[in-house]
Amino acid sequence: MKVENQQLKAFLLDAGLITEEQFRGAEEIANKTGQKLGNVLVSQDLISEEELIKMEAYILGIPFVNLEKEKIDEDVLKIIPEPIARSHNIIAFRKKGESLEVAMLDPEDLRTIDFIKKTSDFKILPRLTNSESIKNALLQYQKTLKAEFGDIIKKEAGGIKAIKVSDKKGLAEEKDLKKMAEELPVVKIVDTLLKHAILGRASDIHIEPTEKEVIVRYRIDGVLREAMVLPKNVSSGIVARIKVLSKLKLDETRLPQDGRFKIETEDYKYSIRVSVLPVYDGEKIVMRLLSETVKALTLEEIGLRGEALELVEKNLKKPTGMILVTGPTGSGKTTTLYSMMEILNVPGINISTIEDPVEYRMQRVNQTQVNSKIGLTFSSGLRALVRQDPDIIMVGEIRDNETAGLAINAALTGHLVLSTIHTTSASGAVPRLIDMKIEPFLISSTLNVVLAQRLVRKLSSEKEKYVLQPAEVENLKKHCNLEKILTILKEEKIIKPKENFNDIVFYKPKPCSDFPDGYKGRIGIYEVLSIDETIKEMINKEADAGQIQNQAQKQGMRTMIEDGFIKAAQGITSIEEVLRVIAE
């Protein structure tokens, strides 16, 4: 039994959710691409995924359940083994006598239903749910990090206590370290740290030795959070294990080392970048987690909108010139470049990159990893790329005069060049290039557009409404031009023409067990500087960043803080979060 397109059409039109014309357009796309009509309707933002599933449930006469906030009894959850639950998107969530209610994305998966019925001896009652419910329930299979470490330490206490390092003149012997790295407790500890970091959406793991213990912290949504405190006696074993995985020198404890390794399971594939640094109480390790299966996001998904989005899309259609993305480390610049390349990546175009590191693998894109140890730098790599007949060149970062000069020259000679540069604002990119000995007339001739960005944390679905009090409004005036922001919110039709700041509903994070600080994920806030004739003339006259910024704002450029306030008024983030990242 399945939902026919005509049934879906009748339901949507009767409910007034879409028009006949919108339905025909979606149906045409579905026929051309072979996609399910419902999936097309969701991708076109005509209906949400949850609305689609609720409609299908109603038409099929199958109850819809939302498990996003439901804590499932462990005994019930484990009736369906985790591998089956993951591979078939099916969750056991309620048991009544001899009946078992299961939440599914596809209630037509009769083979799986029959298999669970035979292996569990329950009567199976299928329920429709959405992908977020499945994700939440799958997370419940995982123990907490502390509980899992408690089990490891309890079961393997003897092994952990046995971890010792023989010492000669301050250096550990390699044979002892190799043996230590293979100890079962140490292997379990490192595997568990990595697993929980990945499931918890961490971008980095910090393992920090102190005098009496080892502190483990995860960076999640840009913020470091303490995850675990381990006994001091496991420190050398953890370091040895990670060095073995990264193919680093085991007996070198006095100098910094860098390496990498990969981990792969049925659910994820990650490249781990490792940095080892000697500190007073041992060696500190930082691991950067880079997913190899994540697809590039669209420009809309990373947070670009309105006129800023139109400017970027317009400049991506130009065959030559330079597009720069600016911001501090960790502000999402590389992700923005990948989103641009995803748009440009078509069979008739040759895209070549020089990156450090290669964060995402892209089909049909020739990606080169910087390796300074053998002399492959941004400048030497870029020099080689221009001889590879590229249409588009992506340079991970412009760090020095030579790279800047080569990038400008490539843009002048018929290539579209995408790159990043470290400045705090879009207008700051111009004086930064001049500082790198690039002539102003070359900058004005090649630079098409500059994006500046920061990443703000997004509020989770649980959030609190509030309105600003007079004292809060006065305090905000110290940070931004509230009158201009009020005008922008009215132009965007987020608030009514007669409303003031005291009338706007903003949102605060509401902490919960899944999201202790009330935030989930991040999104960009942007300012986009278009290099028009007026700005070109100012560049040629070597105007400073402040003058360029003022002129751009007169011409209608929205600043990052203004874009942040729009997203705060839309309930995407909070005012406090916008002010936090702008101040950094």
Side-chain angles (χ1 to χ4, degrees):
M1 182 172 59
K2 65 179 182 178
V3 177
E4 300 293 341
N5 288 354
Q6 291 308 309
Q7 289 177 300
L8 194 58
K9 177 182 179 180
F11 191 97
L12 289 167
L13 293 178
D14 287 347
L17 292 171
I18 64 171
T19 64
E20 181 96 33
E21 185 180 353
Q22 287 173 325
F23 187 87
R24 280 200 302 270
E27 196 170 33
E28 188 177 334
I29 293 170
N31 292 335
K32 282 182 180 178
T33 61
Q35 297 180 71
K36 286 185 177 180
L37 177 60
N39 294 341
V40 174
L41 290 165
V42 172
S43 67
Q44 296 285 309
D45 288 329
L46 295 173
I47 57 173
S48 69
E49 183 196 17
E50 186 163 325
E51 285 173 332
L52 172 66
I53 294 171
K54 283 182 177 178
M55 284 177 223
E56 291 180 340
Y58 180 80
I59 293 168
L60 294 172
I62 298 173
F64 172 84
V65 294
N66 188 326
L67 304 178
E68 289 185 48
K69 299 174 187 175
E70 187 159 332
K71 178 66 178 172
I72 303 170
D73 185 274
E74 188 176 343
D75 292 336
V76 174
L77 184 70
K78 291 189 175 179
I79 290 171
I80 300 177
E82 184 178 356
I84 300 294
R86 287 187 180 278
S87 59
H88 295 277
N89 289 309
I90 182 168
I91 298 293
F93 68 94
R94 190 176 297 136
K95 184 173 65 172
K96 290 182 180 177
E98 296 181 359
S99 298
L100 180 69
E101 292 186 64
V102 296
M104 308 176 70
L105 295 184
D106 181 12
E108 292 181 285
D109 188 357
L110 300 179
R111 288 181 64 185
T112 302
I113 292 172
D114 190 50
F115 171 79
I116 294 166
K117 182 180 179 180
K118 287 177 180 177
T119 55
S120 67
D121 288 330
F122 281 101
K123 179 185 176 183
I124 306 303
L125 304 176
R127 307 289 186 247
L128 262 175
T129 191
N130 56 25
S131 54
E132 284 300 315
S133 287
I134 295 288
K135 285 179 187 176
N136 174 68
L138 289 173
L139 285 173
Q140 295 184 48
Y141 277 98
Q142 308 299 325
K143 290 184 179 181
T144 67
L145 185 60
K146 289 183 180 179
E148 200 151 344
F149 271 121
D151 288 349
I152 293 170
I153 291 169
K154 185 178 179 181
K155 291 176 184 177
E156 310 287 351
I160 291 178
K161 288 175 184 176
I163 298 172
K164 292 182 181 179
V165 181
S166 61
D167 192 83
K168 292 184 180 180
K169 297 182 180 179
L171 295 175
E173 286 193 16
E174 189 171 1
K175 63 180 181 181
D176 292 330
L177 291 165
K178 277 186 178 178
K179 182 181 177 183
M180 190 186 307
E182 301 302 326
E183 292 278 358
L184 186 59
V186 171
V187 172
K188 285 185 176 180
I189 286 172
V190 173
D191 288 351
T192 302
L193 284 174
L194 289 167
K195 181 184 74 174
H196 279 273
I198 290 167
L199 293 173
R201 304 177 298 105
S203 61
D204 302 84
I205 304 172
H206 289 238
I207 302 171
E208 304 164 328
T210 65
E211 184 181 357
K212 296 180 180 179
E213 57 198 10
V214 178
I215 297 170
V216 179
R217 295 194 289 172
Y218 292 160
R219 188 177 294 280
I220 300 172
D221 295 335
V223 177
L224 271 176
R225 304 169 187 176
E226 188 171 299
M228 192 67 211
V229 177
L230 296 170
K232 177 70 173 180
N233 61 329
V234 305
S235 178
S236 298
I238 291 173
V239 172
R241 177 64 183 165
I242 293 170
K243 283 183 177 180
V244 166
L245 292 171
S246 311
K247 296 181 173 59
L248 300 178
K249 293 179 181 179
L250 280 169
D251 56 349
E252 178 55 79
T253 60
R254 300 167 299 176
L255 294 173
Q257 296 188 73
D258 296 318
R260 62 173 56 226
F261 64 93
K262 291 186 179 184
I263 55 173
E264 185 173 354
T265 71
E266 290 183 0
D267 301 315
Y268 50 75
K269 184 177 179 182
Y270 274 76
S271 175
I272 315 293
R273 210 171 78 209
V274 177
S275 172
V276 183
L277 179 72
V279 293
Y280 189 79
D281 291 301
E283 291 178 277
K284 177 184 175 180
I285 291 179
V286 174
M287 292 185 280
R288 167 64 57 88
L289 311 180
L290 302 169
S291 173
E292 294 193 352
T293 55
V294 170
K295 293 182 179 179
L297 300 172
T298 65
L299 293 176
E300 292 91 341
E301 285 171 335
I302 64 174
L304 275 165
R305 52 180 303 286
E307 191 175 336
L309 175 62
E310 291 172 13
L311 273 172
V312 173
E313 290 178 332
K314 175 184 173 184
N315 282 282
L316 285 172
K317 292 175 183 175
K318 294 181 179 178
T320 64
M322 182 182 287
I323 296 175
L324 287 179
V325 183
T326 79
T329 301
S331 59
K333 300 187 295 296
T334 304
T335 299
T336 299
L337 290 185
Y338 276 101
S339 298
M340 292 179 185
M341 286 195 292
E342 187 69 18
I343 294 171
L344 299 167
N345 188 15
V346 294
I349 297 292
N350 177 19
I351 304 177
S352 295
T353 77
I354 179 76
E355 307 173 57
D356 185 23
V358 173
E359 293 194 14
Y360 306 109
R361 298 290 297 277
M362 297 187 76
Q363 294 294 323
R364 295 197 307 268
V365 175
N366 308 291
Q367 296 172 273
T368 302
Q369 168 75 50
V370 164
N371 189 343
S372 55
K373 291 178 183 176
I374 60 171
L376 180 54
T377 61
F378 279 116
S379 54
S380 64
L382 180 52
R383 196 178 289 109
L385 286 189
V386 295
R387 296 193 289 271
Q388 288 282 312
D389 186 32
D391 299 296
I392 297 164
I393 296 171
M394 191 277 262
V395 184
E397 185 182 346
I398 294 177
R399 295 178 179 174
D400 53 52
N401 303 9
E402 188 178 6
T403 307
L406 289 166
I408 290 284
N409 189 59
L412 279 171
T413 53
H415 305 91
L416 181 63
V417 178
L418 313 177
S419 192
T420 71
I421 193 167
H422 279 279
T423 62
T424 56
S425 64
S427 57
V430 174
R432 181 79 182 100
L433 289 170
I434 292 173
D435 289 343
M436 291 181 174
K437 312 299 180 190
I438 304 298
E439 293 290 342
F441 77 91
L442 291 175
I443 299 171
S444 64
S445 301
T446 56
L447 199 56
N448 294 342
V449 69
V450 185
L451 288 80
Q453 67 178 80
R454 301 288 188 278
L455 289 177
V456 295
R457 291 178 293 169
K458 295 194 294 183
L459 292 163
S460 69
S461 56
E462 293 291 315
K463 50 193 173 187
E464 294 181 9
K465 294 181 180 180
Y466 77 104
V467 292
L468 292 167
Q469 299 303 308
E472 292 174 304
V473 174
E474 289 302 312
N475 186 52
L476 282 174
K477 288 179 181 178
K478 300 173 186 176
H479 302 281
C480 50
N481 184 340
L482 286 190
E483 289 304 315
K484 186 179 179 187
I485 288 171
L486 195 63
T487 302
I488 290 169
L489 294 178
K490 290 175 182 177
E491 289 172 357
E492 294 283 336
K493 297 182 180 178
I494 294 171
I495 61 173
K496 295 175 183 176
K498 293 184 179 180
E499 286 186 320
N500 211 320
F501 254 97
N502 305 86
D503 305 310
I504 306 171
V505 175
F506 288 104
Y507 297 83
K508 287 183 177 179
K510 185 177 180 181
C512 61
S513 57
D514 290 330
F515 307 105
D517 52 12
Y519 292 97
K520 179 189 178 183
R522 290 190 291 176
I523 195 169
I525 55 173
Y526 300 88
E527 60 186 34
V528 179
L529 172 64
S530 179
I531 311 299
D532 61 13
E533 293 305 318
T534 304
I535 301 296
K536 285 182 180 181
E537 189 176 332
M538 294 181 75
I539 293 171
N540 289 331
K541 292 178 180 178
E542 298 191 38
D544 62 32
Q547 292 170 322
I548 293 173
Q549 183 84 359
N550 289 337
Q551 180 59 36
Q553 286 181 242
K554 285 179 186 176
Q555 293 175 198
M557 182 184 81
R558 299 264 170 90
T559 64
M560 282 183 284
I561 197 165
E562 290 164 358
D563 189 35
F565 264 86
I566 291 171
K567 290 181 169 77
Q570 290 173 327
I572 297 169
T573 188
S574 65
I575 292 175
E576 292 79 10
E577 180 66 6
V578 172
L579 296 178
R580 179 184 72 83
V581 300
I582 291 293
E584 287 180 349

